[in-house]
Amino acid sequence: MEASKQLNAGRIVAALFMMIALLLIVNFFRTTTIQVDFATYFTPAYYMQFSLLLMPMALLNAGFLLIRGSKQANLALAIFGYMAILELFFDLVGVTPSFTPVFVVIVLLLAAGSAIYIAHTNTFSTNKLSKTGLIVSLLIGVVESLIPLFI
């Protein structure tokens, strides 16, 4: 009986993560203008606006894996969590330019904190996050946040 409750709770949390991700994706396409000017394709600012699409896509993937009960769900949750936290941290300290609206920052922080907690505590018994998984998720977060600066 306990496993059934845990599975249902995991599906509810996964559905919530997926709804948040879809709302953030819709907001991204509603507020982003895609330039036709070829010269803008080579500026960091142009690519930084797409980081706001990568984070919800990562959350959507993590939610999908969690709803399926996949063994990689905790790794995907950690990747999203650290990606979002590091992106917002680098925006806050001024390393990267900030294009994130305040309500999106709040939603991402809440979702990222929850995702990191679930990933590290193995709340839904999908697969314990290894040290290698932790390092990989941190590296992906740093690369995703800083790569547009090197383009």
Side-chain angles (χ1 to χ4, degrees):
M1 185 62 127
E2 183 65 33
S4 172
K5 286 183 182 179
Q6 189 176 32
L7 182 63
N8 288 337
R11 287 184 177 156
I12 291 169
V13 169
L16 183 63
F17 279 160
M18 292 171 75
M19 286 190 314
I20 290 170
L22 290 173
L23 288 172
L24 290 174
I25 290 169
V26 167
N27 181 61
F28 170 81
F29 283 114
R30 189 180 57 80
T31 59
T32 302
T33 57
I34 305 214
Q35 304 273 337
V36 181
D37 183 18
F38 187 69
T40 61
Y41 294 159
F42 299 102
T43 61
Y46 182 75
Y47 290 102
M48 285 304 293
Q49 72 182 353
F50 291 103
S51 70
L52 290 177
L53 181 61
L54 291 175
M55 289 182 283
M57 293 298 288
L59 182 59
L60 187 64
N61 178 51
F64 179 72
L65 290 173
L66 189 58
I67 216 164
R68 289 184 51 218
S70 174
K71 298 280 187 203
Q72 289 82 24
N74 282 339
L75 178 61
L77 286 167
I79 288 172
F80 160 73
Y82 288 118
M83 184 187 301
I85 295 288
L86 288 169
E87 178 78 28
L88 298 173
F89 173 75
F90 289 140
D91 284 351
L92 182 67
V93 297
V95 174
T96 58
S98 180
F99 296 104
T100 312
V102 174
F103 79 93
V104 173
V105 169
I106 293 168
V107 169
L108 284 174
L109 282 175
L110 291 172
S114 301
I116 290 172
Y117 176 79
I118 291 168
H120 283 282
T121 60
N122 196 19
T123 305
F124 302 116
S125 302
T126 51
N127 196 12
K128 196 167 184 147
L129 186 65
S130 66
K131 290 179 184 175
T132 305
L134 173 64
I135 292 169
V136 165
S137 59
L138 283 169
L139 285 175
I140 289 173
V142 168
V143 168
E144 185 275 333
S145 298
L146 297 179
I147 198 73
L149 296 177
F150 299 108
I151 293 177

